[in-house]
Amino acid sequence: SASHVKTVKSAFLVILMIIMTQVGYLDLINSPRTGNDSFDEESLVMETGGSGSAIVYANNKLSTGEMHSCAILDNGDLKCWGENGDSQLGDGSITDSDVPLSTFSLGTGRTAVAVSAGVYHTCVILDNGDVKCWGSDYLSQLGNGASNNEYTPPNTAIDLGSGRTAVALSAGYHHGCAILDNGDLKCWGWDQYGQVGDGGTNTDQSSPTLVDLGTGRTAVAVSAGKHHTCAILDNGELKCWGQDNYGQLGNGGNTATLTAPSTTSIDLGTGRTAIAVTAATYGEHTCAILDNGDMKCWGRDAYGETGNGGTSLGYVVGGAPLTTAINLGTGRTAVAASAGGFNTCAILDNGELKCWGSDDYGQLGDGGSNTNLNAPSSAAIDLGTGRTAVAVSAGRFHICAILDNGELKCWGKDNVGQLGNGAGTTAQGSPVSVSGG
């Protein structure tokens, strides 16, 4: 009944807007929180990063897996919905849900500050810097050292090293990575293609393993994709490793598999550095936002997902970033991006949201035209009168966004309730509001 189903408005944790510099950590744990229980408005919290900065959104309070979705409420609680065959929703069951469910306890007094959903698992950073993962662990993606499935958030956090905590987190297809409080990057899980980055023998790692980023270098952002991983370093360089069958590593080829970061960084253009990166969790492409707000993509382009205005039947410009930035609209720049399966989405500097690539389930959010786009449309997605986006996450066939008033909307495929609208399993070509009991 209507009394048991309501739109989740202003119920999600304040989306932190940060100003990233080339030498700053994404230290989201120490960001201020409002503690406001009324949820009437959202206030954006900003940190000043100094000269040469570019504004980006901290896109970590919302995450879409292959067929499930999760979001952090403003009190630090975590709710998930959609597919639950491996208990990736964290409620202890294996029953799918088309409305948000509360996970079991994250620990006494603990709350979530960041969430990242993999294909059949979910990971969070807690307010004390611990990392916990649950769901499927058949390829060691939970990082618990034992390759045991977890049906609720475990009592014991992942061992990041003595005294170490996490400041950023990314769950890939069957692997995961975390940036630690000292700037180290550690990854774990499936390593068939070298995506863990330990430079070893492609052996799955059940516990976090240190990635060598280069002498004196640290990580400020990380994105774990399907079979590859990318990280932005403290000097603004971008490096990727793992599978490169479609040129998703951006190093100019499409054949080499790297089991560790290259000694040379990706060429983003003369004088350009990266401030945000997204590696497709269910596809084979990568995108980055540059320090001037330009957005460039590379890798597989079978459905227009690189946004270059055409398809290149495999890889773009020999597996290197586009020479010309994606056309986001006259004078427009990107502040957040998410690469899903065969789609890419970007939030623009004016709060508009645009998506491109495959539209077979309405995931472009343009009303259900089911027409693929090989570049961003001139018209933004209709999020509602006067509404803008502050976070976006693209799953395999569905996409979700948090709006400026705290409302959460999703669209695309809904076969197992991943849209969370409590209205069955019908695909939606336009954004629909997520509901909760």
Side-chain angles (χ1 to χ4, degrees):
S1 66
S3 62
H4 294 290
V5 179
K6 59 184 179 180
T7 299
V8 179
K9 276 193 175 182
S10 301
F12 293 91
L13 188 65
V14 171
I15 305 305
L16 304 178
M17 181 189 284
I18 62 171
I19 299 180
M20 286 175 53
T21 66
Q22 296 177 7
V23 294
Y25 290 122
L26 296 178
D27 192 351
L28 304 175
I29 291 174
N30 295 322
S31 299
R33 296 175 60 187
T34 65
N36 180 4
D37 292 329
S38 68
F39 315 145
D40 291 332
E41 295 181 359
E42 177 184 43
S43 61
L44 295 176
V45 180
M46 301 178 65
E47 294 179 355
T48 302
S51 62
S53 303
I55 294 175
V56 295
Y57 286 104
N59 213 29
N60 64 352
K61 303 300 182 287
L62 166 70
S63 188
T64 50
E66 181 175 42
M67 289 186 289
H68 76 293
S69 311
C70 296
I72 301 173
L73 307 188
D74 82 328
N75 62 356
D77 286 347
L78 179 71
K79 292 203 173 187
C80 299
W81 58 95
E83 185 184 36
N84 199 29
D86 291 279
S87 201
Q88 54 265 53
L89 303 188
D91 68 331
S93 79
I94 54 171
T95 303
D96 301 341
S97 176
D98 65 355
V99 295
L101 299 177
S102 295
T103 61
F104 272 39
S105 174
L106 297 172
T108 304
R110 296 275 69 91
T111 56
V113 298
V115 60
S116 189
V119 59
Y120 302 128
H121 70 294
T122 305
C123 297
V124 295
I125 300 178
L126 305 184
D127 58 323
N128 63 351
D130 283 350
V131 174
K132 291 186 176 183
C133 299
W134 57 91
S136 174
D137 196 37
Y138 74 103
L139 290 168
S140 300
Q141 57 266 47
L142 300 189
N144 59 14
S147 296
N148 293 328
N149 288 5
E150 299 281 358
Y151 297 95
T152 62
N155 293 326
T156 303
I158 292 175
D159 183 5
L160 298 172
S162 180
R164 296 273 70 92
T165 57
V167 298
L169 172 71
S170 183
Y173 199 70
H174 295 306
H175 73 294
C177 297
I179 300 175
L180 309 188
D181 57 315
N182 63 351
D184 282 351
L185 177 64
K186 290 189 175 182
C187 299
W188 60 89
W190 193 31
D191 196 36
Q192 180 176 348
Y193 302 98
Q195 57 265 48
V196 169
D198 60 355
T201 58
N202 303 100
T203 301
D204 298 349
Q205 298 293 328
S206 62
S207 298
T209 301
L210 185 66
V211 177
D212 183 1
L213 298 172
T215 303
R217 295 274 68 92
T218 55
V220 298
V222 63
S223 183
K226 185 177 181 182
H227 300 145
H228 73 296
T229 307
C230 298
I232 300 174
L233 309 188
D234 57 315
N235 61 355
E237 290 183 349
L238 176 60
K239 294 185 176 184
C240 299
W241 57 94
Q243 190 177 42
D244 197 35
N245 57 330
Y246 288 99
Q248 57 264 50
L249 300 189
N251 58 9
N254 70 322
T255 56
T257 294
L258 296 179
T259 61
S262 171
T263 55
T264 58
S265 61
I266 294 173
D267 182 4
L268 298 170
T270 304
R272 296 274 68 93
T273 56
I275 61 170
V277 62
T278 175
T281 311
Y282 312 100
E284 292 89 8
H285 69 291
T286 307
C287 299
I289 299 175
L290 310 188
D291 57 321
N292 62 351
D294 282 350
M295 184 171 172
K296 293 186 175 184
C297 299
W298 54 94
R300 190 176 184 182
D301 196 40
Y303 299 91
E305 56 264 45
T306 65
N308 69 337
T311 54
S312 55
L313 301 179
Y315 58 93
V316 176
V317 198
L322 296 170
T323 302
T324 303
I326 294 172
N327 182 9
L328 299 170
T330 303
R332 296 274 69 92
T333 56
V335 297
S338 181
F342 305 110
N343 296 94
T344 306
C345 296
I347 300 175
L348 310 187
D349 58 316
N350 61 354
E352 289 182 347
L353 177 61
K354 294 185 177 184
C355 299
W356 55 93
S358 175
D359 194 35
D360 45 354
Y361 295 101
Q363 55 265 52
L364 297 190
D366 59 1
S369 69
N370 299 113
T371 301
N372 299 345
L373 290 179
N374 54 26
S377 171
S378 58
I381 294 173
D382 183 3
L383 299 171
T385 303
R387 296 277 67 91
T388 57
V390 297
V392 63
S393 183
R396 186 168 187 177
F397 299 116
H398 76 293
I399 295 164
C400 296
I402 300 179
L403 310 188
D404 59 317
N405 64 347
E407 189 176 0
L408 177 60
K409 292 188 175 183
C410 299
W411 57 95
K413 193 173 183 178
D414 195 31
N415 60 312
V416 288
Q418 58 264 53
L419 301 189
N421 63 342
T425 55
T426 302
Q428 299 292 330
S430 297
V432 294
S433 294
V434 172
S435 301

